[in-house]
Amino acid sequence: LYVVKDASLNSKLYVSDATTLDSTLSVTDIATLNNKLNVVGDVSFGSNLLLAGTAGITGKITASSDAHILGDVSLDSLLLVAKDASLNSKLYVKDAATLDSTLTVAGVTNINNTLTATGATTLNDILHVVNDVSFDSALVMDGSATIKNTMDVTGATTLGSTLDVTGATTLQDTLALTGKATFSDELHLVKDASMDAHLFVNGDVSFNNKLFVNKETLLNNTLTTQGATALKSTLDVDGATKLKSTARIVGDASLGAALDVGGNTKLDGSLTTVGTTDLQNTLNVGGAATLNDILHVVKDVSFDSALVIDGSANIKDTLKVAGRSDLNDQLFVTGATTLSSTLDVTNKATLRNT
C-alpha cells in the first residue's frame, strides 16, 4: 500500500511484521508499546520522561540540566562527580566512605558512631565535645589548653615545663615533687605539712600560730623573736647566748657552764648554785644576804658598816683591827695574849692566874 499524501484511520492499525518509517513519526496522543522500544540513534524528549518500571541503561547517562529523582537511587558501582555535589537532605552511607581529598562541611556535622582517622586531624576552629573524650595515646598541644571545668586524671601526669595556675589548686592526694618547687606568692596549708628532708627558706618565715618541732632545731644564724618565747623543755646552747633585754625564768634555770653577764642582773627570788660561783667584779646586794654554808674569801674583806655575827666567829689567823674595838660582853682568850702597847682598863680587872 503506497500513500502519497496523509492517511487517516478511524480505528486501530495492526501490523504483524516490522514497520519501517523513512521520516518522522508524530503522535499527538499517548503512544503505548506493549514490548521493548529499541532505538539505534539518539532519543530526544521535548518534555518529561516518565518510567513506571526500572530503566536499564548499559552506557553513560549525560544530563545537560538538573536530574530530579523522587525515589531512592541505587548504584552498584562508583559515583563519580566532576564538580560540587549538593544534597538538600541527609547523606546515608552504609559502608565505609573514602574521600581522596578534603571534606568541607559548612554546617554542623553529626556522627552517631565512632570517627576513626588514620592520619593527622586538623581543626581550624574550636572542637566541642558534649560527652567524655578518650585518648589511647598521648595528647600533644602546640598552643595553650584552656579547661573551663574540672580536669580528672586517673593516671600519672607528666609536665615537661612550668605549670601555671591562676586560681586555687585542690589536691585530694599526695603531691610528689622530684625537683624544686617555687612559689611566687603565699603557700596556704589547711592541715599539717610533713617534710622528710630539710626546709630551706631564703626570706622571712611568718607563723600566725605556734611552731611545733618534734626533734632538734638547728639555726645557722640569729633567731629573732618579737614576742615572748616559751620553752617547755631544755634549751641547749653550744655557743654564747646574748640577751639585749630582760630574761624572765619562771622555774629553775640550770647552767652547765659559766654565765657571763655584761650588764646588771636582777633576781627577784633566790639564786641557788650547786657548784662554784666566780664573780670577777663587785657583788652588790641591796638586801640581806644569807649564806647557808661557809663564806670563803681569798683576799681582803671590807665592810663599810658594822659586822654583826649572831654565832661564834672562828678566826684561824691574826685579827687586825685598825680602829677601836668595842666588846659588849666578855673576851675569852685561850692562848697567850701579846699587847704591843699599853692596856688601859677603866673598871676593875680580875686576873685568875699569875
Side-chain angles (χ1 to χ4, degrees):
L1 174 64
Y2 179 76
V3 180
V4 177
K5 294 183 178 182
D6 296 337
S8 177
L9 301 176
N10 294 324
S11 185
K12 295 178 181 180
L13 173 62
Y14 294 95
V15 180
S16 61
D17 205 344
T19 301
T20 301
L21 301 176
D22 293 334
S23 185
T24 304
L25 173 63
S26 297
V27 181
T28 58
D29 207 344
I30 297 174
T32 302
L33 301 176
N34 295 325
N35 206 326
K36 295 180 180 179
L37 172 64
N38 294 323
V39 182
V40 177
D42 295 338
V43 177
S44 178
F45 297 94
S47 184
N48 296 329
L49 172 63
L50 301 177
L51 298 176
T54 303
I57 301 172
T58 58
K60 293 183 179 181
I61 298 177
T62 302
S64 300
S65 184
D66 295 338
H68 182 68
I69 301 173
L70 297 177
D72 296 336
V73 177
S74 178
L75 302 176
D76 294 335
S77 185
L78 301 176
L79 171 63
L80 302 178
V81 182
K83 294 184 178 181
D84 294 339
S86 177
L87 302 176
N88 294 326
S89 186
K90 297 179 180 179
L91 171 64
Y92 293 97
V93 181
K94 292 183 179 180
D95 208 341
T98 302
L99 304 176
D100 294 335
S101 185
T102 305
L103 172 63
T104 303
V105 182
V108 179
T109 301
N110 294 321
I111 299 175
N112 295 326
N113 207 326
T114 304
L115 172 64
T116 303
T118 57
T121 301
T122 301
L123 303 176
N124 294 326
D125 207 331
I126 298 173
L127 171 63
H128 180 69
V129 182
V130 177
N131 290 326
D132 296 338
V133 178
S134 177
F135 297 95
D136 294 335
S137 185
L139 173 63
V140 180
M141 295 186 182
D142 295 333
S144 301
T146 301
I147 299 174
K148 296 181 179 180
N149 207 328
T150 305
M151 179 173 69
D152 295 328
V153 181
T154 56
T157 301
T158 302
L159 302 176
S161 185
T162 306
L163 172 63
D164 294 328
V165 182
T166 56
T169 301
T170 302
L171 302 176
Q172 297 180 359
D173 206 334
T174 303
L175 172 64
L177 301 176
T178 56
K180 293 182 179 179
T182 303
F183 298 94
S184 301
D185 207 332
E186 296 180 358
L187 173 62
H188 180 67
L189 301 177
V190 179
K191 294 186 179 181
D192 297 337
S194 177
M195 298 182 184
D196 295 334
H198 298 293
L199 171 63
F200 295 97
V201 182
N202 293 328
D204 295 337
V205 178
S206 177
F207 296 95
N208 294 326
N209 209 326
K210 296 179 180 179
L211 171 64
F212 294 95
V213 181
N214 292 329
K215 294 185 178 181
E216 296 180 354
T217 301
L218 178 62
L219 302 175
N220 295 327
N221 207 328
T222 306
L223 172 63
T224 303
T225 57
Q226 296 179 354
T229 302
L231 302 176
K232 295 183 179 180
S233 185
T234 305
L235 172 64
D236 294 329
V237 182
D238 294 334
T241 301
K242 183 177 181 181
L243 303 176
K244 294 182 179 180
S245 185
T246 304
R248 183 173 179 270
I249 301 174
V250 178
D252 296 337
S254 177
L255 303 176
L259 172 63
D260 295 329
V261 182
N264 296 326
T265 302
K266 181 180 180 181
L267 303 176
D268 295 334
S270 301
L271 172 62
T272 303
T273 58
V274 178
T276 304
T277 302
D278 294 329
L279 302 177
Q280 298 180 3
N281 206 326
T282 305
L283 172 62
N284 295 321
V285 181
T290 301
L291 303 176
N292 296 326
D293 207 333
I294 298 173
L295 172 63
H296 179 69
V297 182
V298 178
K299 294 185 178 182
D300 295 341
V301 177
S302 176
F303 296 96
D304 293 337
S305 184
L307 172 62
V308 180
I309 301 175
D310 293 335
S312 299
N314 187 1
I315 301 174
K316 295 182 178 180
D317 205 338
T318 304
L319 172 64
K320 294 181 180 180
V321 181
R324 195 173 82 175
S325 298
D326 293 331
L327 302 176
N328 295 325
D329 206 337
Q330 296 177 357
L331 172 64
F332 294 96
V333 180
T334 57
T337 301
T338 301
L339 302 175
S340 299
S341 184
T342 303
L343 174 62
D344 293 330
V345 180
T346 304
N347 290 325
K348 179 181 177 180
T350 300
L351 300 175
R352 297 182 182 274
N353 204 336
T354 304

